[in-house]
Amino acid sequence: MNNTPRLSPEDYETRRLKALADYQILDTQKDAAFDEIVEAVSLICDTPIAVVNFIDRDRQWFKSEKGLGVQETPRDISICVHALLQPGIFVVPDTTQDARFVNNPLVTGEPHLRFYAGAVLKSQDGYPLGTLCALDYEPRELTQRQRFALQALANQVMAHMELMRSHRIQEALIRELQTTRQELEALSSTDSLTGLLNRRAFDQRFQQEVAMIQRGAPSGALMLIDLDNFKHINDTYGHQSGDHVMVRFIELCRRVFRQYDVISRWGGDEFMVMLPRTSPSEATHVASRLHQQLAVTPMLTSSEAPLYCTVSVGICVVIGTSTMDTCLSMTDALLYQVKKEGRNSTAVQAEETR
């Protein structure tokens, strides 16, 4: 039963070619499964030539062939094109006695084909894509058993192609699922505005750093940064401008901190930075560089006068016995100290408490 819609010849051919393209079979490498089917056709039909071919726009392309020795031929001399229009097995007992093929170059010249039998390869929606065919240099006929076997093997060709397509679809779905999972993981571990790690993800990274220190890595430093008077910025310039300031600040931080330093948005206007293999004094130099860059880099230029921001910073040491709670308590206390003394400064954990 042909389930294809009634279309003009041009529209029908367009859809047929689209169906063929969907299988992604043209110009692919040799495949043992197709080669074995071709060998079986040659043995069962007792013919020196057997091929699996597909009819493209301007050519007949052979996925597998035995005895022909070519990869493709022009479509306008293809015998298989006629098979696409016929129901069941298309047999030409003697091409020299058939008006359609008597002057065909493949008949009058090399390889001097005299016999043709082909079973149409149809897509699931009924479009003929090509044929599985047997050819000979001598006139002949097929027995009913040979006809049945040729059709059964053609069905196996399409079953294999459907399996290949299913595998491609499955692989594409797996890739899509992996991409979606990665995106969801990123969303669950990052701040939507800045793209920085959120608290949960940063805490995991902190645990990893402590574990590395326990295995012999140098100690690190933890830096808690507060954007001074950020509420005033939101109240004065609006939340959209406040978001812009936040993004600009992170861009500046990425220039100040090293690539392997880990920056997290800890709260509304607070940021936590893990500095691996960094002493408190080295971290203090980094904080000083941040203060200097903020002094010369406007965070907002759309207002009447450029807006410059300052930060208050608390720094503590991270060692093998550190916990997130103890470090957070320490940096919070240091940050409170800086704010109490007027902001725009850095406080470092005292030597005797390290």
Side-chain angles (χ1 to χ4, degrees):
M1 179 178 178
N2 193 333
N3 296 322
T4 54
R6 295 182 181 277
L7 302 166
S8 68
E10 294 79 9
D11 289 341
Y12 180 86
E13 179 63 4
T14 297
R15 295 198 181 190
R16 190 194 70 80
L17 290 172
K18 172 63 168 57
L20 175 59
D22 286 344
Y23 284 94
Q24 298 181 25
I25 193 72
L26 294 176
D27 299 310
T28 54
Q29 298 296 316
K30 290 180 69 65
D31 187 314
F34 291 98
D35 291 343
E36 289 173 0
I37 290 175
V38 162
E39 285 289 345
V41 168
S42 177
L43 287 170
I44 293 170
C45 296
D46 194 23
T47 58
I49 302 172
V51 299
V52 173
N53 70 81
F54 298 97
I55 307 300
D56 199 2
R57 187 181 304 277
D58 301 308
R59 61 174 177 157
Q60 173 181 244
W61 181 80
F62 304 112
K63 173 62 179 175
S64 181
E65 59 84 21
K66 177 184 178 180
L68 202 56
V70 295
Q71 190 73 57
E72 62 181 61
T73 60
R75 174 171 170 162
D76 57 4
I77 64 171
S78 169
I79 298 175
C80 294
V81 170
H82 297 268
L84 299 189
L85 307 176
Q86 306 296 325
I89 303 294
F90 178 61
V91 179
V92 182
D94 187 346
T95 56
T96 63
Q97 302 301 312
D98 192 310
R100 294 169 294 183
F101 309 115
V102 65
N103 295 318
N104 189 296
L106 299 177
V107 175
T108 59
E110 291 293 337
H112 298 286
L113 299 176
R114 293 290 296 275
F115 168 77
Y116 174 92
V120 180
L121 304 173
K122 285 190 176 183
S123 66
Q124 281 190 331
D125 47 2
Y127 289 102
L129 310 176
T131 64
L132 173 64
C133 54
L135 304 101
D136 204 341
Y137 308 117
E138 303 294 335
R140 54 170 303 160
E141 260 290 0
L142 288 185
T143 66
Q144 285 300 114
R145 288 188 175 185
Q146 288 172 326
R147 287 172 178 259
F148 176 84
L150 184 60
Q151 184 61 65
L153 289 169
N155 295 341
Q156 288 303 306
V157 169
M158 288 310 306
H160 186 60
M161 287 175 61
E162 291 294 344
L163 183 62
M164 291 167 62
R165 181 161 70 170
S166 295
H167 283 169
R168 283 195 304 273
I169 293 172
Q170 186 179 49
E171 288 171 356
L173 287 173
I174 290 172
R175 288 194 298 269
E176 185 178 340
L177 286 171
Q178 289 173 337
T179 300
T180 301
R181 185 180 64 187
Q182 290 167 357
E183 290 173 350
L184 289 173
E185 288 176 351
L187 288 172
S188 68
S189 62
T190 58
D191 172 64
S192 59
L193 175 62
T194 62
L196 299 177
L197 295 182
N198 58 24
R199 281 196 179 203
R200 183 180 65 83
F202 184 83
D203 184 62
Q204 292 176 347
R205 179 63 184 85
F206 175 86
Q207 303 301 333
Q208 293 170 0
E209 186 63 26
V210 170
M212 291 176 65
I213 294 171
Q214 290 171 349
R215 292 195 294 268
S219 61
L222 199 65
M223 184 183 295
L224 182 59
I225 305 170
D226 182 79
L227 266 173
D228 294 332
N229 302 308
F230 187 70
K231 182 178 183 303
H232 175 73
I233 294 173
N234 275 333
D235 292 344
T236 304
Y237 300 98
H239 287 279
Q240 186 173 359
S241 294
D243 288 349
H244 180 77
V245 168
M246 193 76 69
V247 172
R248 286 277 290 163
F249 174 70
I250 295 308
E251 290 172 354
L252 186 144
C253 285
R254 294 188 191 282
R255 297 196 300 269
V256 170
F257 293 103
R258 301 163 298 188
Q259 284 190 345
Y260 57 83
D261 293 332
V262 183
I263 312 172
S264 166
R265 187 176 183 187
W266 199 249
D269 54 3
E270 287 187 339
F271 301 86
M272 190 75 82
V273 185
M274 166 65 70
L275 297 94
R277 304 174 184 84
T278 305
S279 67
S281 61
E282 291 170 332
T284 303
H285 287 302
V286 176
S288 177
R289 191 160 65 247
L290 178 60
H291 288 299
Q292 291 169 4
Q293 288 296 312
L294 283 169
V296 296
T297 307
M299 294 292 102
L300 200 60
T301 57
S302 58
S303 55
E304 293 182 2
L307 174 67
Y308 293 86
C309 294
T310 62
V311 292
S312 298
V313 182
I315 299 172
C316 76
V317 68
V318 179
I319 59 176
T321 57
S322 296
T323 66
M324 191 72 247
D325 288 341
T326 57
C327 287
L328 184 58
S329 295
M330 177 60 68
T331 52
D332 264 337
L334 294 168
L335 203 58
Y336 176 78
Q337 175 187 328
V338 172
K339 292 180 179 181
K340 187 177 180 181
E341 294 173 356
R343 304 177 187 274
N344 190 24
S345 184
T346 298
V348 187
Q349 182 181 358
E351 183 70 32
E352 61 269 18
T353 63
R354 296 176 190 174

